[in-house]
Amino acid sequence: MPQLAPSDDDLLSRRDPASFELFYTRHVEGILGFFARRTRDAELAADLTAETFAAALAGRRRYRREAGAASAWLFGIAMKKLADAQRRGYAEQRARRRLGMERLELDDEDIARIDALGESSTASALVELLNPEQRAAIRAHVVDERPYAEIAAREHVSEAVVRKRVSRGLAQVRARMGGRR
């Protein structure tokens, strides 16, 4: 008798990487498509997809099946990421120009590497190797979903400094995973 595939609820309730990898695999194209349709920007769609799954991985203990389907919970996270991106988009463009930071250009290979973030614990291990300021900034912004302004106020630094820490830290993680800078 063939074994039934585990439900999304079951996958989120388990704590092993393989379960989250399966959940990720089931939903990554839907989430990426959702962002691509709404942003019409492949790089931003890829960034938001990665942020959504990072937040889902970090927050899966908070998922409650009685509150609704796991896919609805995931799309709720995605909606919040999209709203946050829309709010900060203009300010981030101005900050990038002011700091002389170029926007990351992603190709299909880069997007595949981003997909890999949800497939293993490699990214988490690589974040641990970052300097403490970058590690804390990435955790606060990507995992805890805190806005740059809040992080900056807590750390007593400017938003630009926090943005740079997140950007440089993610670039280092990407480089260590074999991606471009």
Side-chain angles (χ1 to χ4, degrees):
M1 185 166 127
Q3 187 176 4
L4 294 175
S7 70
D8 286 343
D9 295 339
D10 292 335
L11 294 174
L12 286 175
S13 67
R14 297 177 187 169
R15 300 295 177 238
D16 62 292
S19 293
F20 192 80
E21 178 182 351
L22 182 54
F23 179 77
Y24 171 88
T25 301
R26 284 181 184 174
H27 297 286
V28 67
E29 288 184 9
I31 295 294
L32 188 57
F34 167 81
F35 286 129
R37 285 187 299 277
R38 280 159 183 79
T39 66
R40 305 241 185 258
D41 180 332
E43 288 84 14
L44 180 58
D47 288 345
L48 293 172
T49 299
E51 286 186 26
T52 297
F53 280 100
L57 177 61
R60 67 183 171 171
R61 285 184 172 91
R62 293 189 301 265
Y63 167 71
R64 299 290 175 254
R65 68 178 69 203
E66 61 273 5
S71 59
W73 172 78
L74 183 64
F75 274 93
I77 294 170
M79 287 294 293
K80 183 177 184 326
K81 293 295 180 186
L82 180 61
D84 290 347
Q86 289 170 334
R87 274 194 302 276
R88 72 180 184 248
Y90 179 71
E92 284 185 1
Q93 288 173 4
R94 286 183 47 212
R96 267 198 311 274
R97 281 194 303 271
R98 194 172 57 245
L99 295 170
M101 294 171 58
E102 292 183 26
R103 183 130 191 258
L104 297 175
E105 297 296 327
L106 301 178
D107 59 20
D108 290 340
E109 187 177 320
D110 293 322
I111 291 173
R113 284 192 183 94
I114 291 170
D115 289 345
L117 290 174
E119 295 174 1
S120 73
S121 58
T122 303
S124 297
L126 292 174
V127 168
E128 291 303 314
L129 298 175
L130 296 173
N131 74 50
E133 286 119 354
Q134 289 173 340
R135 184 172 54 239
I138 289 171
R139 281 186 184 146
H141 183 67
V142 176
V143 177
D144 298 337
E145 302 177 0
R146 295 184 17 227
Y148 288 119
E150 180 184 321
I151 300 163
R154 190 193 78 225
E155 296 294 322
H156 306 291
V157 297
S158 70
E159 275 188 63
V161 168
V162 175
R163 289 175 194 279
K164 235 178 206 185
R165 287 175 181 172
V166 170
S167 176
R168 287 180 178 169
L170 290 174
Q172 283 183 32
V173 168
R174 187 173 42 258
R176 288 175 180 159
M177 289 182 80
R180 293 183 333 212
R181 278 192 154 254

